[in-house]
Amino acid sequence: MEDCLKLLGGERDEQKLAGLLLATKFCQGDDKKSILRVYNAVGVRFLNRLLKSGMMQSAGEHEVSEERKAYLRLSVTILAAFCRIPEIASLEDMIAKVPFILEIISKVPDPIICEECYEILFLVCATRKDGPNQLYESGAMDVLATHISTLPDGSRSVELVMKLLQLITTHIPIDILNIKYQSQISCMVVAIAKQFGVLQTVLKFDALHLLNTILSSKSFGGLSNLISSSSQNWTFYIHDGIVSILQNRVVSSEKIQALALADSMITIGDEKWLLGYNDLPSEHNSMPADKCLLLFLESSRVEVSILLNEIAYLKYEARERSSLSVESLTIKQRNLAISFSLIENIIKMISGVFEGREDLVKENTLIKAINGLDETASLVLDFLHDAKDHGEKKGDDLLASVRLLGSYLAEAPSACKENVQDLLSYILSIEGMDEKIPFYSICFMLPMLSQTTIEVEGCKALVSFDGHKIIADCLVKLIGPVGCMIEDSGTVFLACDTFLNLLLKMNKQIVLTELDQSWLFPLLSALVLWTEKNNVESIVIIVSSICVLIFDHTSEVLLKSTKFDEDNLKSLFKLIARSCDLSKQEQSTDNSESSDLRQIVIEGYGRWKERFPDVAK
């Protein structure tokens, strides 16, 4: 060591170079004391000069000569050794070298030099708060995107590049990265997806976390086509990587990450992605579609079962509400939403199978899936029952539970029938954290309600707790003066169908003979306004059907006596008259689904036209 230090302190460059060569022996391992002595002896100026000298090109050279490359390799090796000491890596002089290290990577395609450069960047940028920003602002995204696809699978360089990307994505909003570096992010996703699919090391989980960060971003949607055009295999590799994690014993947090990534992939593409592919290279054997479906479903169901119990305990039984328990509850609620979302997509895919859009899933697989979904629906109902017993109606976890329940009951309205009827009033009263009054819980249950109210029993169950008023109020919110609260017009028509069923099936003694019928008038006003803004035939006919059935149980005098808006009343009468004319004209040739509604309009007008003389005008 003393000889080394003496050479490093020499006046001539030849002495310093000899000292550096000798120093490489002392800078291996974790001998912090020796490395610090060498660093202090070398001096910043000489090391900088050696780095720049290694990058220089002589006249007529197209690339750095082997001699200069040897200087560069020596200086980079020494610099990497220095940076393994946090006290040195955090120095201003080291962070100032970041742009130059990136330049070395981009201009000197030497695997050994590049690997040590990646290590230098990571060690320096991870020790300083401003490190990730300096890395980003120095153009790291361009450099890393260019090189990541050329690195050997599972290599140390790949690991370091992914750690650098994690540093950047942790400190720079991913939406900014997706917008500013679309093509670079695309290249990275393709390369990382391959690592995720083929590796069976800890690096697989680094790839999982990175992919989740990028693909879960709302701004990533616009990049999916770009990525698809650059590689047709990236989604296949991600599928295989997720399947590998779900099949093996890994901690629950990593399985949740895998399920979240699967959910993101469905959002980018569609539910068919769950079934897997057989287009990977021969060394990758994809799981059969049936087993893929059950694996994703069972993995999600297991997580839901565990999370529902843990959330219920933290909310209702834990004696203390420390900041730690609150944070734990928040994480579990977020994980529950991920598992719920994936199950909803599986329900959607199974629905497509029943509608004849797919033939990849065998009948016995569907039976197993449906039995599993029945069990999960029962668990969700138990969770909601527990919340009801504790007097809790507000919470995003409760709303997410209603959404999942609504998705399943839309396809199987008779499932868990008794439990659903017992809890229906409570379910329709649930609010999300950002809601002031229940709305989305009602919307989530409309697909089921539109089916169950076809039968008189379903109507009675809903009317028993004034559910008809709840549906009317929801319909007002959907189409009222403030505009549609959701973009899905299908939800509006489901609310209309449910209310129509109530009007058709229930007799007036149960529904509409209350002394105060004022709850109907906001609905009539909203319906009129909706038809004025949307002069679409299907809207006109369904609104008219609702109106004529309401008119069966009231009168023009009653409407006027309650100070129903005169302009709205005239508009309503014009709508009915127009609908009657339209129905008579097309009645003989109409074979569409709206023919029943047209018949309701014509017959209804015939029943009460004498009580509404203004309509006849």
Side-chain angles (χ1 to χ4, degrees):
M1 172 60 76
E2 297 304 323
D3 291 340
C4 175
L5 297 178
K6 188 180 296 184
L7 287 169
L8 290 173
E11 296 181 358
R12 293 180 292 112
D13 285 350
E14 290 83 354
Q15 291 175 299
K16 292 180 180 294
L17 279 172
L20 278 181
L21 287 170
L22 186 58
T24 56
K25 297 179 180 180
F26 297 103
C27 291
Q28 295 177 359
D30 56 356
D31 188 351
K32 180 178 177 181
K33 183 179 179 181
S34 295
I35 295 174
L36 284 171
R37 292 183 71 187
V38 171
Y39 175 76
N40 291 327
V42 170
V44 173
R45 185 175 300 176
F46 177 72
L47 189 58
N48 288 343
R49 186 154 56 88
L50 186 61
L51 278 168
K52 293 178 181 179
S53 176
M55 282 291 290
M56 290 175 60
Q57 294 177 219
S58 299
E61 291 182 344
H62 297 289
E63 59 183 27
V64 176
S65 67
E66 288 301 320
E67 181 182 356
R68 292 186 180 279
K69 192 179 292 184
Y71 294 155
L72 185 63
R73 186 180 292 117
L74 174 61
S75 56
V76 168
T77 297
I78 292 295
L79 185 59
F82 290 160
C83 290
R84 295 184 188 112
I85 307 300
E87 294 90 336
I88 298 176
S90 61
L91 295 174
E92 285 291 336
D93 181 63
M94 293 302 173
I95 195 69
K97 287 183 173 64
V98 167
F100 190 69
I101 298 299
L102 287 169
E103 184 182 355
I104 293 173
I105 295 172
S106 62
K107 292 185 177 180
V108 183
D110 183 298
I112 298 176
I113 292 177
C114 286
E115 180 178 321
E116 291 186 323
C117 283
Y118 294 136
E119 183 179 9
I120 293 167
L121 290 174
F122 176 70
L123 292 171
V124 170
C125 295
T127 57
R128 295 176 58 97
K129 289 184 178 180
D130 61 342
N133 281 320
Q134 178 66 30
L135 183 66
Y136 170 73
E137 292 171 1
S138 298
M141 293 298 292
D142 288 317
V143 175
L144 298 179
T146 302
H147 287 80
I148 188 170
S149 60
T150 65
L151 301 174
D153 295 340
S155 64
R156 171 69 171 158
S157 291
V158 167
E159 180 181 358
L160 289 167
V161 168
M162 285 203 282
K163 289 184 180 297
L164 290 169
L165 289 174
Q166 285 177 329
L167 276 178
I168 293 174
T169 55
T170 301
H171 291 79
I172 307 297
I174 190 63
D175 289 336
I176 293 177
L177 295 176
N178 280 337
I179 294 171
K180 189 173 181 179
Y181 293 100
Q182 284 198 11
S183 61
Q184 292 87 342
I185 291 287
S186 299
C187 293
M188 291 175 181
V189 168
V190 171
I192 297 168
K194 184 182 179 185
Q195 301 301 310
F196 179 59
V198 302
L199 297 181
Q200 301 300 329
T201 64
V202 177
L203 190 57
K204 189 182 197 75
F205 297 103
D206 289 336
L208 170 63
H209 301 158
L210 258 178
L211 288 169
N212 250 334
T213 299
I214 297 171
L215 298 183
S216 62
S217 167
K218 293 180 180 179
S219 62
F220 183 76
L223 299 176
S224 57
N225 291 334
L226 181 60
I227 292 179
S228 297
S229 63
S230 62
S231 173
Q232 295 298 317
N233 286 339
W234 74 281
T235 60
F236 311 162
Y237 282 118
I238 289 181
H239 187 278
D240 271 16
I242 294 174
V243 166
S244 176
I245 289 175
L246 297 181
Q247 282 182 305
N248 289 283
R249 293 183 178 180
V250 299
V251 294
S252 178
S253 59
E254 299 296 356
K255 284 199 173 183
I256 286 290
Q257 286 275 322
L259 295 176
L261 182 56
D263 194 52
S264 296
M265 293 303 296
I266 295 171
T267 301
I268 294 171
D270 57 37
E271 312 85 46
K272 290 186 291 185
W273 175 89
L274 287 168
L275 299 177
Y277 301 88
N278 296 307
D279 298 334
L280 284 175
S282 57
E283 63 267 21
H284 300 283
N285 297 315
S286 296
M287 179 182 289
D290 290 61
K291 290 186 177 180
C292 282
L293 176 64
L294 292 178
L295 177 64
F296 281 107
L297 177 58
E298 291 307 307
S299 299
S300 302
R301 288 185 59 244
V302 168
E303 295 301 326
V304 165
S305 177
I306 295 171
L307 289 166
L308 287 177
N309 285 329
E310 292 177 342
I311 290 172
Y313 173 78
L314 288 172
K315 290 173 70 172
Y316 311 128
E317 297 182 32
R319 295 183 179 180
E320 296 182 2
R321 274 296 185 93
S322 63
S323 58
L324 186 62
S325 65
V326 171
E327 181 182 359
S328 176
L329 177 60
T330 301
I331 292 172
K332 293 181 187 301
Q333 289 172 329
R334 184 176 66 242
N335 292 341
L336 180 66
I338 291 169
S339 299
F340 275 172
S341 179
L342 191 54
I343 292 177
E344 286 181 57
N345 280 308
I346 292 173
I347 292 170
K348 186 177 179 180
M349 197 200 70
I350 291 176
S351 173
V353 172
F354 279 119
E355 292 175 11
R357 295 198 300 263
E358 297 292 345
D359 58 358
L360 298 176
V361 182
K362 299 176 183 177
E363 183 177 353
N364 62 338
T365 301
L366 288 175
I367 293 173
K368 290 179 182 178
I370 292 170
N371 289 337
L373 289 170
D374 276 338
E375 292 178 11
T376 298
S378 295
L379 290 175
V380 171
L381 284 167
D382 290 343
F383 178 71
L384 292 176
H385 202 291
D386 200 10
K388 178 186 176 183
D389 290 344
H390 286 85
E392 183 172 351
K393 293 183 178 181
K394 197 175 189 69
D396 288 341
D397 54 346
L398 299 179
L399 189 61
S401 299
V402 174
R403 174 170 173 161
L404 175 69
L405 198 61
S407 295
Y408 184 54
L409 295 178
E411 307 302 331
S414 60
C416 311
K417 187 174 181 180
E418 293 183 2
N419 288 338
V420 172
Q421 287 187 350
D422 290 342
L423 281 174
L424 188 56
S425 175
Y426 167 74
I427 289 172
L428 298 182
S429 69
I430 288 174
E431 305 167 9
M433 291 304 295
D434 296 330
E435 290 185 288
K436 295 182 179 179
I437 55 176
F439 174 70
Y440 286 104
S441 59
I442 303 167
C443 292
F444 295 152
M445 298 300 290
L446 283 175
M448 181 208 75
L449 292 174
S450 68
Q451 297 180 71
T452 57
T453 52
I454 292 175
E455 303 295 332
V456 173
E457 182 184 358
C459 293
K460 288 182 177 179
L462 188 58
V463 171
S464 65
F465 57 88
D466 281 347
H468 55 298
K469 294 183 180 181
I470 293 175
I471 302 302
D473 184 58
C474 176
L475 190 50
V476 170
K477 292 184 178 69
L478 286 166
I479 62 175
V482 296
C484 290
M485 293 183 67
I486 60 175
E487 297 180 358
D488 182 15
S489 60
T491 302
V492 180
F493 283 97
L494 285 170
C496 290
D497 283 342
T498 303
F499 201 72
L500 270 173
N501 291 337
L502 288 167
L503 293 171
L504 286 168
K505 296 296 181 183
M506 304 307 296
N507 59 53
K508 60 184 180 181
Q509 282 75 28
I510 295 179
V511 180
L512 296 173
T513 56
E514 299 129 340
L515 292 176
D516 179 18
Q517 295 182 356
S518 59
W519 64 273
L520 278 171
F521 303 140
L523 174 60
L524 290 171
S525 297
L527 290 171
V528 170
L529 183 62
W530 189 33
T531 54
E532 288 180 349
K533 291 183 176 181
N534 299 275
N535 193 22
V536 180
E537 185 177 331
S538 59
I539 293 177
V540 170
I541 194 66
I542 197 169
V543 168
S544 301
S545 301
I546 293 174
C547 291
V548 298
L549 290 173
I550 290 176
F551 284 8
D552 270 338
H553 310 296
T554 184
S555 69
E556 186 173 341
V557 175
L558 182 61
L559 289 176
K560 290 181 177 179
S561 67
T562 57
K563 298 181 181 180
F564 187 61
D565 185 90
E566 187 69 22
D567 292 335
N568 281 346
L569 188 60
K570 290 180 180 178
S571 298
L572 190 58
F573 290 158
K574 288 180 181 179
L575 171 67
I576 298 296
R578 179 158 57 96
S579 181
C580 287
D581 290 340
L582 188 62
S583 297
K584 290 177 181 177
Q585 292 171 8
E586 301 188 8
Q587 185 178 17
S588 59
T589 59
D590 189 5
N591 294 317
S592 66
E593 295 181 359
S594 64
S595 59
D596 291 340
L597 298 179
R598 299 183 190 282
Q599 192 64 30
I600 290 173
V601 173
I602 294 173
E603 293 178 357
Y605 175 73
R607 288 193 299 271
W608 47 252
K609 62 182 180 181
E610 293 182 358
R611 289 187 287 116
F612 287 85
D614 285 347
V615 180
K617 295 179 182 179

